[in-house]
Amino acid sequence: MLGWSLVAVGVLGPRPAFALGSSAGSPERPASEPSESSEPSESAEPSELTEQGEPSGAGDPSQDASSSEAGAHRRRHKASSLRGHGGRPWHLDLEVLTDLPVDIGARISAELPYRLQVATSLGGLPGGYVDMINAIVTSVGGYDDATANVIDSALRSSLVWRTHIGWRPLRHYGFYVQAGYGLVTLGGEGTSGDVLALITGNEMLVGEGDDVMDLQSTLHMIDAEIGYQFLLVRDRLSLRAALGFSGTVGARTRATVASEGRRPLAREALEDAATYVEGYLDGIYTKYVMVPVVTVGLGYRFF
């Protein structure tokens, strides 16, 4: 019996250890069942998510292009929102302008938050504008041609300063309203013939006579206007047009006569004439110098 047992052990022998891992020799796992190595791993999940339309580690070219286009659109929208009348709350403009028939000069203006506006201008009153004022006043019967000629010949120099405050009610449009104060100084010379022309109404006497008086007039005016400002060339240049009114609310004229070397009677007569001219011109200014104003300005916007 012992011999047969040894023979059986020698023939059959112990079962090798490596047979445990073999699918063919393992009774617990048939060859047809999948092994653990054939199951999907976690590293395959991104590819499955990509097939389902979700973002993957490697960017989709179409999605990248769409994202880039959206970003560019946002940047363009932000840039356009900062341009035009609806952009930044602060603006500073410098203009050359004419307020026909009040002055020709330069103007600086600023726009503050809530679209409040402040502006100031400095200029001069050309002789042609004086002629225009005279034409307007004489056409409505304000004063006669003799007075117009005296004003034209006597007031040769001028300085006009205007200051306005206003408001632009519509955020995305350049429409605005403004009102303010104007100071006008006028200077020149008059003769005894000018005085007689004012008294008699004879314009042939204007400029006649040897006696000369210095004339200085100061006018206080109120201004109002409505207008529109157009922005051009990437909002750097501006074109402004407005219609308004300017009227004199106060005036003071000073007439000075050189009286040295004159007889007392003649000196007294000249001083009386100067006083008459002062009162006459002040009355003319406050009663009749009220004119419509047409404004055109070309400017540069700093910011």
Side-chain angles (χ1 to χ4, degrees):
M1 294 295 295
L2 179 59
W4 286 106
S5 298
L6 295 174
V7 172
V9 171
V11 172
L12 299 176
R15 193 171 184 175
F18 64 86
L20 295 174
S22 173
S23 59
S26 175
E28 292 86 359
R29 180 174 300 183
S32 60
E33 294 182 2
S35 64
E36 294 180 358
S37 61
S38 63
E39 295 180 359
S41 63
E42 295 181 357
S43 60
E45 292 181 0
S47 61
E48 295 177 358
L49 294 176
T50 303
E51 293 176 358
Q52 296 175 3
E54 297 179 8
S56 63
D60 188 351
S62 62
Q63 292 180 358
D64 292 344
S66 176
S67 176
S68 177
E69 183 178 354
H73 176 73
R74 287 193 297 269
R75 289 191 295 270
R76 287 194 301 269
H77 178 73
K78 182 177 180 181
S80 63
S81 66
L82 294 177
R83 294 199 298 266
H85 292 290
R88 298 178 177 86
W90 297 87
H91 298 297
L92 181 65
D93 298 339
L94 180 64
E95 283 185 349
V96 292
L97 81 162
T98 177
D99 296 308
L100 187 70
V102 177
D103 70 333
I104 294 177
R107 178 180 187 262
I108 187 169
S109 62
E111 185 169 287
L112 312 177
Y114 303 103
R115 300 180 299 282
L116 298 177
Q117 298 177 332
V118 293
T120 186
S121 64
L122 191 65
L125 177 62
Y129 284 15
V130 175
D131 295 339
M132 191 174 299
I133 293 174
N134 283 333
I136 294 173
V137 177
T138 55
S139 66
V140 298
Y143 48 71
D144 55 22
D145 291 336
T147 301
N149 290 334
V150 170
I151 293 175
D152 184 37
S153 63
L155 304 179
R156 296 297 186 182
S157 62
S158 63
L159 181 66
V160 181
W161 173 56
R162 307 175 82 200
T163 298
H164 286 180
I165 60 173
W167 182 47
R168 185 170 58 85
L170 304 177
R171 179 178 180 183
H172 296 285
Y173 298 92
F175 174 78
Y176 71 90
V177 292
Q178 289 186 358
Y181 166 77
L183 177 67
V184 181
T185 61
L186 304 169
E189 294 181 345
T191 66
S192 56
D194 294 337
V195 178
L196 293 175
L198 294 177
I199 296 173
T200 64
N202 185 358
E203 59 181 301
M204 299 298 294
L205 298 174
V206 175
E208 299 295 330
D210 297 329
D211 299 315
V212 177
M213 65 180 68
D214 293 327
L215 297 175
Q216 300 291 331
S217 296
T218 301
L219 281 62
H220 303 278
M221 311 184 77
I222 56 171
D223 307 317
E225 68 180 39
I226 58 174
Y228 198 96
Q229 184 184 41
F230 301 90
L231 298 179
L232 311 170
V233 190
R234 300 183 64 83
D235 303 337
R236 284 301 183 183
L237 296 182
S238 65
L239 177 64
R240 187 172 61 90
L243 293 175
F245 170 83
S246 186
T248 305
V249 294
R252 180 178 176 81
T253 299
R254 182 177 179 84
T256 305
V257 178
S259 59
E260 290 79 2
R262 299 183 183 276
R263 295 178 181 181
L265 185 60
R267 183 168 59 249
E268 184 178 352
L270 288 174
E271 290 174 354
D272 290 341
T275 301
Y276 175 83
V277 170
E278 291 173 353
Y280 185 86
L281 290 179
D282 287 344
I284 291 294
Y285 294 143
T286 55
K287 189 175 182 179
Y288 298 112
V289 182
M290 298 183 181
V291 294
V293 179
V294 178
T295 299
V296 177
L298 180 63
Y300 179 80
R301 171 160 288 185
F302 292 97
F303 56 84

